[in-house]
Amino acid sequence: MARLQIDAISKTYGADYAVREVSLDIADGEFMVLLGPSGCGKSTLLRMIAGLEEPSSGRILLDGTDITEVAPQRRDLAMVFQSYALYPHLTVAKNIGFPLRARRRPRAHIAERVAAVAKTLELSALLDRRPGALSGGQRQRVALARAMVRDPGAFLMDEPLSNLDAKLRSATRAELIALHRRLGATFLYVTHDQVEAMTMATRIALLDAGRIEQVGTPEELYDRPRTAFVAGFLGSPPMNLFPAVVSWRAGGLRVLSDGIDAALDITADSGDDSAVLAGIRPEHLRIDSDASALRGRVTMVENLGSEELVHAAVGKHILCARAPRPAGVRVGEDVGFRVAPAHIHLFHPDSGLRLTWQEQSTRRPGALPAGAQAVSS
Ligand SMILES: Nc1ncnc2c1ncn2[C@@H]1O[C@H](COP(=O)(O)OP(=O)(O)O)[C@@H](O)[C@H]1O
Ligand SMILES: [Mg+2]
């Protein structure tokens, strides 16, 4: 059992916040991923949970018990680092058993645990080797085995796959997902890689500049980003984001910008204009030569093998559309795009918060069409 509660944790270095008032409730057995750009505070947060860094303020609870002041080795947590930090002069077996020897467990118990964990991670044949004679993926598995040998309530991992090549990274991702299922333990996993986060997480906490931008399932963050930052961070290529105006036209609301005039899925009788930041994912821009809402000129076509990315100048914007190959357009050609109203995201131009539109019936006549209301999540 390991439920981790992070309660308003902050860490300052001088006047700068590395982590700012972060609260997070991680349920027993979750695979929670801390995701965010380099320098956003992920490692600092994880190290505070592990006890390797002292918080400036806030509390950490493990199964309801305050462990903020508890020494790292007395927390029921195991940490796996990006660099495997294996002892080069010790065999794989000795490396794996190290945490148990440090705790002076009986020899027979250590041998039994090492054998069991090695079997789980398919390391049994490598127990007599030294780390120097292992591949990167094998070393990573030894580091994992060393973390598992104590049977901790929760695993803390800081970018454990970032030293592996692409193929091995994807194989190890699958292994970690299977391992999580099998162990049923709580995983708290740090990465800046959105693919790792999307594929492995039961929930993602997306951080920016020391703060949490959004916590939710991968689908929630991708489909309903709470802020423009989340919208722009998740997705490759990223969401097209552009300043626009929401305006009432002949019974419906439309999103207008240079070269763009697209219907929104909102009905309104009348209203004033509202400035917004509009967003459309590349996969939601459909190429259609008859489309009139968005028209532009193709500036680049990228062949990804199964798909093509079509970049087009629409007014002063460059938009990117993702289409099955062949997309059937060439550089320099005029092109039209369609987008379903439900696939247009709108954000407040200053706060970046996702906007929702009030139901027509609840609005006063003549009020802002938008009643532009920031969703609180
Ligand atoms: N020991 C330290 N002294 C001063 N600043 C630090 C220290 N450790 C981290 N920082 C700063 O805190 C911020 C967050 O760092 P970190 O947690 O390592 O980010 P991430 O793991 O997301 O890349 C960065 O701006 C970093 O420069
Ligand atoms: Mg880091």
Side-chain angles (χ1 to χ4, degrees):
M1 260 283 293
R3 173 185 182 194
L4 265 171
Q5 289 160 283
I6 320 297
D7 180 18
I9 279 281
S10 293
K11 178 72 181 179
T12 50
Y13 292 108
D16 298 328
Y17 280 89
V19 172
R20 192 160 189 151
E21 295 270 320
V22 165
S23 293
L24 198 56
D25 192 344
I26 304 163
D28 181 44
E30 262 201 279
F31 198 134
M32 173 70 85
V33 171
L34 298 176
L35 176 68
S38 178
C40 73
K42 307 179 293 295
S43 293
T44 306
L45 180 55
L46 199 72
R47 291 171 58 80
M48 288 193 286
I49 296 167
L52 304 173
E53 206 82 65
E54 199 183 331
S56 307
S57 61
R59 295 186 313 157
I60 298 157
L61 284 78
L62 183 61
D63 291 328
T65 306
D66 191 335
I67 57 162
T68 319
E69 308 285 327
V70 173
Q73 65 275 16
R74 300 198 45 226
R75 300 181 183 198
D76 185 22
L77 307 167
M79 181 117 173
V80 183
F81 297 91
Q82 171 180 356
S83 59
Y84 320 120
L86 300 177
Y87 299 104
H89 58 290
L90 296 182
T91 62
V92 167
K94 286 256 158 67
N95 265 288
I96 296 175
F98 190 85
L100 298 180
R101 274 204 308 288
R103 284 172 178 73
R104 305 192 186 290
R105 295 290 147 77
R107 237 183 225 203
H109 169 77
I110 297 175
E112 192 182 307
R113 283 297 300 159
V114 169
V117 170
K119 185 156 177 245
T120 304
L121 291 178
E122 292 173 25
L123 291 167
S124 306
L126 306 174
L127 285 172
D128 295 328
R129 291 208 198 160
R130 284 177 216 284
L134 300 177
S135 71
Q138 290 167 335
R139 277 181 223 173
Q140 189 56 62
R141 292 219 295 276
V142 175
L144 260 175
R146 189 178 50 186
M148 280 168 58
V149 78
R150 284 195 297 117
D151 198 15
F155 291 89
L156 311 179
M157 305 191 190
D158 195 348
E159 313 234 9
L161 308 188
S162 57
N163 286 340
L164 307 181
D165 64 43
K167 193 163 165 228
L168 195 54
R169 208 157 53 223
S170 114
T172 315
R173 261 197 335 251
E175 271 179 29
L176 277 176
I177 295 168
L179 184 68
H180 173 251
R181 285 222 185 92
R182 208 155 60 228
L183 299 177
T186 310
F187 279 38
L188 182 53
Y189 185 102
V190 160
T191 184
H192 66 275
D193 181 329
Q194 53 165 311
V195 176
E196 284 181 21
M198 291 295 290
T199 52
M200 298 199 288
T202 53
R203 282 195 303 159
I204 297 173
L206 181 49
L207 280 86
D208 180 37
R211 293 176 193 269
I212 290 190
E213 286 276 319
Q214 187 170 2
V215 183
T217 64
E219 294 74 23
E220 282 165 352
L221 267 68
Y222 193 84
D223 296 339
R224 274 187 74 79
R226 196 178 75 87
T227 65
F229 177 85
V230 178
F233 191 85
L234 283 179
S236 175
M239 184 185 284
N240 298 291
L241 284 164
F242 49 90
V245 169
V246 170
S247 187
W248 177 82
R249 291 287 149 90
L253 287 175
R254 305 188 71 84
V255 59
L256 308 176
S257 188
D258 194 18
I260 298 170
D261 177 357
L264 290 168
D265 216 359
I266 308 161
T267 50
D269 293 335
S270 65
D272 303 325
D273 290 356
S274 320
V276 297
L277 193 61
I280 305 170
R281 292 210 180 273
E283 63 268 34
H284 294 146
L285 274 180
R286 279 190 299 113
I287 297 171
D288 179 344
S289 49
D290 299 333
S292 58
L294 289 100
R295 291 208 67 89
R297 176 153 300 177
V298 177
T299 57
M300 182 165 69
V301 178
E302 288 179 274
N303 176 4
L304 300 185
S306 62
E307 298 174 312
E308 281 179 342
L309 300 180
V310 175
H311 302 259
V314 175
K316 61 182 186 316
H317 312 293
I318 297 279
L319 300 185
C320 175
R322 181 206 282 273
R325 187 173 141 247
V329 293
R330 275 194 237 141
V331 172
E333 260 177 45
D334 278 341
V335 67
F337 298 103
R338 269 185 210 290
V339 56
H343 286 142
I344 302 178
H345 302 256
L346 301 169
F347 303 96
H348 191 279
D350 302 322
S351 69
L353 284 172
R354 183 182 194 84
L355 297 174
T356 187
W357 258 247
Q358 288 178 347
E359 287 298 321
Q360 197 182 341
S361 56
T362 65
R363 282 194 297 109
R364 290 173 288 109
L368 279 175
Q373 245 196 357
V375 170
S376 54
S377 80

